[in-house]
Amino acid sequence: QVQVVESGGGLVQTGGSLRLSCTVSGLSFDDYGMGWFRQAPGKEREGVACISWSGGSTYYEDSVKGRFTISRDNAKNTVYLQMNSLKPEDTAMYYCAAEHGGLGFPVLEDYEYWGQGTQVTVSS
């Protein structure tokens, strides 16, 4: 049984930082591209940052470039999202997802396994 578990969300002030973690079990983590997606109330889910199965390719949504960093630790079956200089518009539920053979593209339909999400709230 595949499990995708996010952690690290919370309430932070504008300009602050958070590090999200996502630990996956039940699959061969090395074979999966990983993605972080977010969904704010009334908005569609969007790709924030993705990383290929090899770790050699990454994607960032334009609004987070230079502020967020995605990384993976295959020894720990974990992917991270370091979020700096947070803004109120970053407030959303953040989801982690896994795509077999993923090359690091933010196509939601390609991701087979999803976590339950972790809430990030940035106060102004």
Side-chain angles (χ1 to χ4, degrees):
Q1 181 180 357
V2 176
Q3 289 190 316
V4 179
V5 181
E6 305 98 333
S7 62
L11 173 64
V12 64
Q13 291 186 332
T14 296
S17 297
L18 284 174
R19 188 176 81 153
L20 305 184
S21 299
C22 169
T23 300
V24 183
S25 60
L27 53 74
S28 180
F29 186 74
D30 297 19
D31 294 337
Y32 281 76
M34 300 298 298
W36 284 100
F37 298 81
R38 67 185 178 188
Q39 188 167 20
K43 294 188 176 182
E44 293 186 352
R45 192 171 299 189
E46 64 175 357
V48 176
C50 305
I51 188 166
S52 63
W53 64 272
S54 69
S57 178
T58 57
Y59 158 88
Y60 294 96
E61 195 270 330
D62 284 346
S63 70
V64 309
K65 286 180 181 176
R67 300 188 298 124
F68 290 11
T69 303
I70 188 170
S71 62
R72 63 187 297 155
D73 184 341
N74 288 352
K76 296 182 178 180
N77 283 13
T78 299
V79 61
Y80 304 98
L81 184 67
Q82 178 66 44
M83 305 187 294
N84 299 328
S85 303
L86 283 162
K87 305 175 181 180
E89 50 263 45
D90 295 318
T91 295
M93 184 71 78
Y94 282 70
Y95 298 91
C96 176
E99 177 192 358
H100 187 262
L103 300 179
F105 296 115
V107 181
L108 275 71
E109 296 78 12
D110 290 344
Y111 286 79
E112 297 109 319
Y113 302 104
W114 291 80
Q116 294 299 306
T118 185
Q119 178 68 39
V120 171
T121 302
V122 184
S123 63
S124 56

